Amino acid sequence: MTTQEIANQWAHYCSTGQSAKAYQELYHQDCISVEVPGVQGYPERVEGMPAIMAKGKQWGDMIESFHSMEIEGPIVAGNFFTATMKMDLTMKGQARRVDEEVGVYRVEEGKIVHEQFFYSLS
C-alpha cells in the first residue's frame, strides 16, 4: 500500500470507531507513539504494539462517554501523513468537552512506524 492508501484507510478506520483494526492492519509491530510532553494519565512515549495498545486502553479507561470523532485530512507528503482529530467526549469526573489534536504519521515499507500527537494540555 502507498502512504496515501494507508492514510485513507487509517482515516476511515478511526472515523468509524475501528481503531483496533487500524492498529492490526496498518501499524508495524515496532511502531513508536509519542504524546505531548507533560501529558497526564499515560506515558509520553511507548514503543511496540503491545505498549501502544496498553496506552490506548489507559486512555479509554479515563473516558466516561465517547460521543463522536471527526477526522480532517489526511494530507500526505512523501512517506508522512497528517490529520486533525476532533473528539467529543466526557472524561470520568469531568464535564463533556471537545478535544482537538493533530497527528503526524511516518510510513515505511507499507506500515505506520511512528505517530506523534500535538494538542493543548489545558
Side-chain angles (χ1 to χ4, degrees):
M1 290 175 68
T2 67
T3 300
Q4 185 71 60
E5 291 168 334
I6 290 167
N8 291 344
Q9 193 63 47
W10 171 89
H12 170 73
Y13 285 152
C14 290
S15 64
T16 58
Q18 300 180 72
S19 296
K21 195 169 184 179
Y23 286 134
Q24 293 167 354
E25 291 182 17
L26 305 175
Y27 283 68
H28 190 278
Q29 287 301 306
D30 296 325
C31 185
I32 296 169
S33 181
V34 180
E35 297 288 336
V36 170
V39 67
Q40 298 293 311
Y42 44 93
E44 286 179 25
R45 178 186 169 102
V46 297
E47 296 184 29
M49 284 313 301
I52 290 172
M53 297 299 283
K55 180 183 83 163
K57 183 178 180 336
Q58 282 179 291
W59 183 73
D61 288 347
M62 295 167 33
I63 296 173
E64 181 176 308
S65 298
F66 195 91
H67 308 290
S68 67
M69 176 188 279
E70 294 176 31
I71 304 284
E72 288 188 29
I75 298 170
V76 174
N79 65 322
F80 290 86
F81 72 91
T82 187
T84 62
M85 293 161 273
K86 186 184 287 187
M87 296 167 278
D88 181 359
L89 48 80
T90 305
M91 303 298 279
K92 291 180 180 174
Q94 298 180 25
R96 184 173 176 170
R97 67 181 195 226
V98 175
D99 284 351
E100 294 181 85
E101 64 184 62
V102 173
V104 178
Y105 303 83
R106 187 174 81 230
V107 175
E108 292 179 6
E109 299 179 10
K111 295 287 183 180
I112 297 169
V113 297
H114 190 274
E115 64 179 10
Q116 186 166 0
F117 302 105
F118 300 90
Y119 48 87
S120 174
L121 293 176
S122 59

